[in-house]
Amino acid sequence: MSRLVAPVAIAALIAGVAIFQFSIGVDTTRAATTATKALCGDRALAFAKFAPDVSVICDETNLYLSTNSLPKHEMMVGITGWNQQVPIPPIYSGSMLQMWKIPLKPTVAAAPTVTTGVGGTGIMVDGVPLFNPVKPSQGGNGSIYTTSTDLKLLGELDTCEGHAGKGDDYHYHAAPTCLLKTLASDAAVVGYQLDGYPIYGYNEANGKQATGLDACNGHDDGDGRGYHYHFTTAPPYSPMCYHGVIPSDVRPGYGQPLIQGMRQSGEPVNVLITKMVLNITGTSKLDFTYQGKEGSVSWTPASAANCWNFTYVNPPPGTPGTGTQNNICRKEGVQSGGQQPAQQPAPQQGGQQQGGQQGPPPQQGDTWGNRFFTRRRFEGDKTRSKAEFCPVYMLRILLSRRDATKKSQTRFYY
């Protein structure tokens, strides 16, 4: 897969983070001491290889990460069980960046909390989200690994163990093999789960394969790193539960950037995806073979921000569209709500039942994106947009909820 990264997109990402760092509060001295890259410590090193596509800053409590969620490696090739979605930038606008929030000081939970497959469970160092390895559970119930729901066995993952979900968003479900090749180590930090604990590759620092993993695919091997997760070559491949406490404003579906769907969801179909070319500023194309006939999906940015024009050639049954679809857009400033993670026990060795713990869900519309920005139009200019800074929420989140009552009228325009 060839990839043409738009300089404008990178510039917008860099500018957004720069403004984000500068604008944490009117008191710039406080900003410098409460949300800087230096406060990330060694954690920033794991993401440095992927700058400027991935940027991080930290306060005393959390790491904040901005990303366009599109990796540099090949995508979608090798999939045989295709849901007919394609990788589209989740948010392609300088006014609304994806921001992931990871606790810097993870705390062991009284009991592990099972994942549901609804929303990401963590973020990898290349800025791509990680989901658990099985199909989403129904009704908010906890995920249980079975071969019938194993996305890898079902052929739904590409050669890098990722795919585009129903929101046309790319993410991993198992050990991101292409990312591991880029890191050139099976013992490197590959990402962080939402509870703040790191995820390593298959091996320990001594080069030996990780052993003695618990039901969450993690352990503390006594080498001084504390508890950490591992990817494995054997199922379930990636964490199915959280070892640590997940703050109420961080848990999946309510405190992380989630993707608004664009097109109608496609129906699963048996194909072979043979090639994909990604060009953010031009025409992207995915080629496949279905029942001996070649077909493709192409998409090109429309004139409106965050909108695309699609062209379908020989689409299979259950396709999201036929012929040409114009001006298919993502909604900005609102996140999909997801389902509240189930308060269910994680799998246990020995049969002991354990219960998860979650805080109360936020009010409707009170999401990570909405807390930071609201979208409006420049007066008299219908072609541009501005993001209005919401300082009360910013202070509450980025400054660990200190001085949350301090108000400011500072605004930032993109």
Side-chain angles (χ1 to χ4, degrees), residues 87-143:
I88 304 289
I91 299 173
Y92 189 52
S93 170
S95 63
M96 186 63 187
L97 294 173
Q98 279 202 319
M99 300 301 298
W100 286 81
K101 181 179 179 182
I102 303 296
L104 286 174
K105 300 175 182 178
T107 303
V108 178
T113 302
V114 70
T115 60
T116 66
V118 179
T121 64
I123 187 73
M124 301 298 96
V125 295
D126 62 353
V128 177
L130 174 70
F131 284 50
N132 78 20
V134 297
K135 286 182 173 293
S137 59
Q138 301 299 312
N141 295 318
S143 294

Side-chain angles (χ1 to χ4, degrees), residues 90-91 96 258-262 306 329-335 375:
I91 299 173
M96 186 63 187
L258 298 177
I259 308 305
Q260 286 281 15
M262 295 175 50
N306 296 322
C329 306
R330 286 201 193 279
K331 295 180 181 179
E332 292 189 83
V334 179
Q335 295 178 342
R375 297 281 296 175

Side-chain angles (χ1 to χ4, degrees), residues 78-390:
I79 288 177
T80 57
W82 185 34
N83 59 13
Q84 306 203 52
Q85 311 299 138
V86 297
I88 304 289
I91 299 173
Y92 189 52
S93 170
S95 63
M96 186 63 187
L97 294 173
Q98 279 202 319
M99 300 301 298
W100 286 81
K101 181 179 179 182
I102 303 296
L104 286 174
K105 300 175 182 178
T107 303
V108 178
T113 302
V114 70
T115 60
T116 66
V118 179
T121 64
I123 187 73
M124 301 298 96
V125 295
D126 62 353
V128 177
L130 174 70
F131 284 50
N132 78 20
V134 297
K135 286 182 173 293
S137 59
Q138 301 299 312
N141 295 318
S143 294
I144 299 174
Y145 176 82
T146 64
T147 55
S148 63
T149 59
D150 184 324
L151 295 172
K152 187 173 181 178
L153 294 180
L154 293 172
E156 295 190 22
L157 303 183
D158 61 21
T159 56
C160 299
E161 308 297 5
H163 72 174
K166 290 185 177 181
D168 285 316
D169 57 305
Y170 188 83
H171 51 262
Y172 302 121
H173 280 276
T177 54
C178 298
L179 172 57
L180 288 170
K181 290 179 181 178
T182 300
L183 296 173
S185 172
D186 287 340
V189 174
V190 188
Y192 288 89
Q193 287 287 81
L194 296 185
D195 59 5
Y197 287 107
I199 311 174
Y200 288 82
Y202 311 119
N203 300 337
E204 303 290 6
N206 60 11
K208 295 182 179 180
Q209 185 174 357
T211 57
L213 302 179
D214 60 20
C216 297
N217 250 39
H219 66 177
D220 182 349
D221 61 353
D223 67 353
R225 290 179 296 173
Y227 186 89
H228 55 274
Y229 301 101
H230 280 279
F231 285 109
T232 56
T233 55
Y237 320 115
S238 61
M240 290 282 290
C241 55
Y242 299 105
H243 178 76
V245 174
I246 305 175
S248 61
D249 57 352
V250 173
R251 67 185 187 275
Y254 290 100
Q256 299 295 343
L258 298 177
I259 308 305
Q260 286 281 15
M262 295 175 50
R263 303 178 295 156
Q264 177 183 341
S265 296
E267 296 295 329
V269 64
N270 292 324
V271 302
L272 175 61
I273 296 179
T274 56
K275 183 180 180 181
M276 198 192 93
V277 175
L278 179 67
N279 184 342
I280 294 178
T281 59
T283 299
S284 300
K285 185 181 179 184
L286 181 148
D287 295 305
F288 60 86
T289 300
Y290 172 69
Q291 295 186 348
K293 181 182 293 186
E294 294 183 353
S296 66
V297 181
S298 302
W299 59 100
T300 304
S303 56
N306 296 322
C307 298
W308 282 264
N309 301 326
F310 290 84
T311 300
Y312 303 86
V313 176
N314 296 327
T319 176
T322 59
T324 300
Q325 289 180 316
N326 292 324
N327 296 313
I328 306 299
C329 306
R330 286 201 193 279
K331 295 180 181 179
E332 292 189 83
V334 179
Q335 295 178 342
S336 54
Q339 293 175 328
Q340 184 174 356
Q343 298 185 18
Q344 297 201 15
Q348 272 293 298
Q349 298 175 356
Q352 182 180 357
Q353 293 294 317
Q354 297 185 356
Q357 185 176 5
Q358 297 292 347
Q363 297 179 358
Q364 184 177 4
D366 185 15
T367 62
W368 177 255
N370 288 343
R371 290 178 181 181
F372 276 80
F373 300 103
T374 56
R375 297 281 296 175
R376 292 186 179 179
R377 293 284 184 185
F378 279 113
E379 292 79 0
D381 185 349
K382 301 300 183 182
T383 65
R384 300 180 64 191
S385 300
K386 74 178 180 180
E388 183 178 29
F389 181 59
C390 302

